[in-house]
Amino acid sequence: KKHFGEKALRYQHRNGYEILDQDSLKAVEQIEEINHLLKKVFKKEVFSLVKNPLKFGFSDQVKAVIKNRFEGELDPAAYLNSLWEKAGSLGIKILTGISVEEIDQESGSLKAIGSIGQEHLEFRARKIAVCTNAFTKKLWKDCPMEPGRGLILLSKPLGF
């Protein structure tokens, strides 16, 4: 929102909700502690327990609903367009449809195959960032990272 603006991202503040089944109810006991930790950043409570979860119409397997007052939604295509425009203005070229086959850490080279015509490509760089978790072991055999689903990692600002 700060870098691209709500309009460019088609951002809509809608809150976020987590539905909990019987096995996940321990999370309710942690709301106060998590809110305390997050208050330093958000200045307000982030999470709250929805008083009447039945209003959502879920089955009786849903035992609780937790609301996140700071979540919203954005249009992924609008976000990507904004990101690509910004990257282009900084001289960064984003390539898609390419399968990275090998990274040679010693020489700083990367070998890839393009999806159209299966052309072979080779790139050289002083630094290479692996920005995936599902295929990291294929590219970096000794990597201690294990793939995870639904995980969001935040970094310090990237300097746009």
Side-chain angles (χ1 to χ4, degrees):
K1 289 186 342 183
K2 178 181 172 185
H3 294 292
F4 303 119
E6 290 184 14
K7 186 175 180 183
L9 300 175
R10 297 186 189 145
Y11 176 81
Q12 297 179 28
H13 186 84
R14 302 239 193 235
N15 300 315
Y17 297 91
E18 298 294 329
I19 57 174
L20 305 179
D21 61 10
Q22 187 65 41
D23 295 337
S24 304
L25 278 177
K26 290 181 183 177
V28 173
E29 299 168 10
Q30 298 172 334
I31 291 176
E32 189 175 326
E33 179 183 351
I34 292 170
N35 278 335
H36 176 73
L37 294 170
L38 293 174
K39 201 164 193 172
K40 296 171 189 168
V41 175
F42 292 96
K43 310 299 184 222
K44 294 181 180 179
E45 287 189 349
V46 175
F47 298 104
S48 61
L49 187 62
V50 173
K51 293 189 185 348
N52 182 11
L54 298 175
K55 69 182 177 185
F56 289 103
F58 294 122
S59 75
D60 61 353
Q61 289 181 329
V62 174
K63 302 301 181 190
V65 176
I66 297 176
K67 175 182 170 182
N68 176 339
R69 70 189 293 179
F70 289 100
E71 269 191 51
E73 64 184 57
L74 55 81
D75 180 321
Y79 167 69
L80 284 175
N81 284 335
S82 296
L83 181 64
W84 284 33
E85 283 179 27
K86 183 65 173 182
S89 74
L90 296 171
I92 298 168
K93 187 172 184 178
I94 298 174
L95 304 173
T96 62
I98 294 175
S99 177
V100 175
E101 298 293 317
E102 178 184 338
I103 295 174
D104 184 337
Q105 293 178 352
E106 299 295 319
S107 68
S109 68
L110 177 145
K111 293 181 182 169
I113 297 176
S115 61
I116 300 173
Q118 296 297 310
E119 66 271 16
H120 293 270
L121 307 166
E122 187 168 333
F123 301 93
R124 293 196 184 279
R126 283 177 282 153
K127 294 182 180 182
I128 297 173
V130 177
C131 301
T132 180
N133 66 1
F135 304 106
T136 301
K137 291 274 188 189
K138 177 184 172 193
L139 301 172
W140 181 16
K141 304 264 189 272
D142 298 328
C143 177
M145 183 172 65
E146 292 294 327
R149 289 189 58 178
L151 180 66
I152 299 173
L153 301 176
L154 301 176
S155 71
K156 64 182 181 180
L158 299 176
F160 300 155

